[in-house]
Amino acid sequence: DAKTTQPNSMESNEEEPVHLPCNHSTISGTDYIHWYRQLPSQGPEYVIHGLTSNVNNRMASLAIAEDRKSSTLILHRATLRDAAVYYCIHLSHASGGSYIPTFGRGTSLIVHP
Amino acid sequence: NAGVTQTPKFRILKIGQSMTLQCTQDMNHNYMYWYRQDPGMGLKLIYYSVGAGITDKGEVPNGYNVSRSTTEDFPLRLELAAPSQTSVYFCASRRQPRGSKNEKLFFGSGTQLSVL
């Protein structure tokens, strides 16, 4: 089954860049890498996703390794509102051709003022 | 655009009681999911549905049932509540065109359930 590995927690200071790593050595060639974050007492929300190339949006950047076995979510300037649990996921293939998003424990990001 | 709506937000049940957690989405998504999240843990999949009339078990289905009679609604039923079912429950949906794996998930705000 598809599996991702992330550090349990990371810390950063406000307005500094944050690099959140994820290993996904079992990813297949056509699986996208998705990142979600979960703010306290809320449901997860989409951050960014990509396949092979680095991706940027208004929330973050995603750097994908050339062999696609790892990726890094980059928050360019952390704010206190970025304190959350960040999940790196990809879709596990299930019976009948369906795909299931599988979540690990994620990385808890602590941002210090 | 309401997205994914879950009700109720909070509920306390006694052991052995039953209840239904409601989930509805207005984005015409074919895929819907129910997850549970225990304190300090990630999300575990309970059941999922790939379209109206089709449901399948996830990682932790025991003690739960689901139905999908319409595209919009995906209720989760607890028949005999047990303390082990104390958790936060999240419903999610996504659009999955045939062969595509890059569509993002949309989550509801969750239902916090305590079984005492």
Side-chain angles (χ1 to χ4, degrees), chain B residues 1 5 9 13 16 20 26 32 40 43 45 47 52 58 76 80 83 88 92 95-96 105-106 108-109 116:
Chain B
N1 190 345
T5 303
K9 293 191 182 301
L13 286 181
T20 299
D26 61 359
M32 295 187 74
L43 284 75
L45 184 66
Y47 270 94
L76 178 71
L80 293 171
V88 180
R95 182 178 70 93
Q96 179 161 319
L105 279 163
F106 292 81
S109 57
L116 305 175

Side-chain angles (χ1 to χ4, degrees), chain B:
Chain B
N1 190 345
V4 180
T5 303
Q6 290 184 239
T7 55
K9 293 191 182 301
F10 305 95
R11 184 70 184 269
I12 298 175
L13 286 181
K14 294 182 179 179
I15 295 172
Q17 285 186 320
S18 61
M19 77 163 293
T20 299
L21 282 67
Q22 302 291 344
C23 176
T24 187
Q25 52 92 7
D26 61 359
M27 297 172 282
N28 200 32
H29 286 172
N30 49 344
Y31 275 56
M32 295 187 74
Y33 307 86
W34 273 106
Y35 290 90
R36 60 174 286 173
Q37 185 174 37
D38 298 329
M41 305 296 286
L43 284 75
K44 293 186 178 180
L45 184 66
I46 306 171
Y47 270 94
Y48 67 101
S49 169
V50 302
I54 305 170
T55 63
D56 210 343
K57 296 178 180 179
E59 181 184 359
V60 290
N62 291 343
Y64 306 95
N65 280 300
V66 294
S67 60
R68 184 94 182 269
S69 56
T70 66
T71 298
E72 295 78 19
D73 300 307
F74 190 41
L76 178 71
R77 179 84 177 162
L78 283 72
E79 291 294 351
L80 293 171
S84 61
Q85 294 177 304
T86 294
S87 189
V88 180
Y89 291 82
F90 290 101
C91 179
S93 72
R94 63 190 284 268
R95 182 178 70 93
Q96 179 161 319
R98 183 179 294 277
S100 169
K101 291 183 280 187
N102 69 341
E103 301 297 328
K104 60 186 179 182
L105 279 163
F106 292 81
F107 282 85
S109 57
T111 295
Q112 187 170 321
L113 176 67
S114 295
V115 182
L116 305 175

Side-chain angles (χ1 to χ4, degrees), chain A residues 17-81:
Chain A
V18 180
H19 291 232
L20 298 167
C22 178
N23 289 321
H24 31 77
S25 57
T26 60
I27 194 169
S28 74
T30 59
D31 283 354
Y32 280 74
I33 299 147
H34 294 244
W35 283 81
Y36 289 78
R37 72 177 185 181
Q38 186 175 22
L39 300 170
S41 301
Q42 295 188 26
E45 62 177 357
Y46 169 81
V47 177
I48 200 167
H49 75 284
L51 183 60
T52 57
S53 305
N54 294 346
V55 184
N56 299 292
N57 67 20
R58 63 176 181 82
M59 291 180 71
S61 296
L62 177 61
I64 302 171
E66 195 169 335
D67 63 5
R68 292 190 6 98
K69 294 186 184 301
S70 65
S71 62
T72 301
L73 179 70
I74 302 165
L75 306 179
H76 295 285
R77 292 182 63 196
T79 69
L80 297 178
R81 289 172 293 181

Side-chain angles (χ1 to χ4, degrees), chain A residues 79-97:
Chain A
T79 69
L80 297 178
R81 289 172 293 181
D82 291 324
V85 178
Y86 288 78
Y87 296 98
C88 159
I89 70 166
H90 57 100
L91 304 182
S92 303
H93 186 263
S95 60

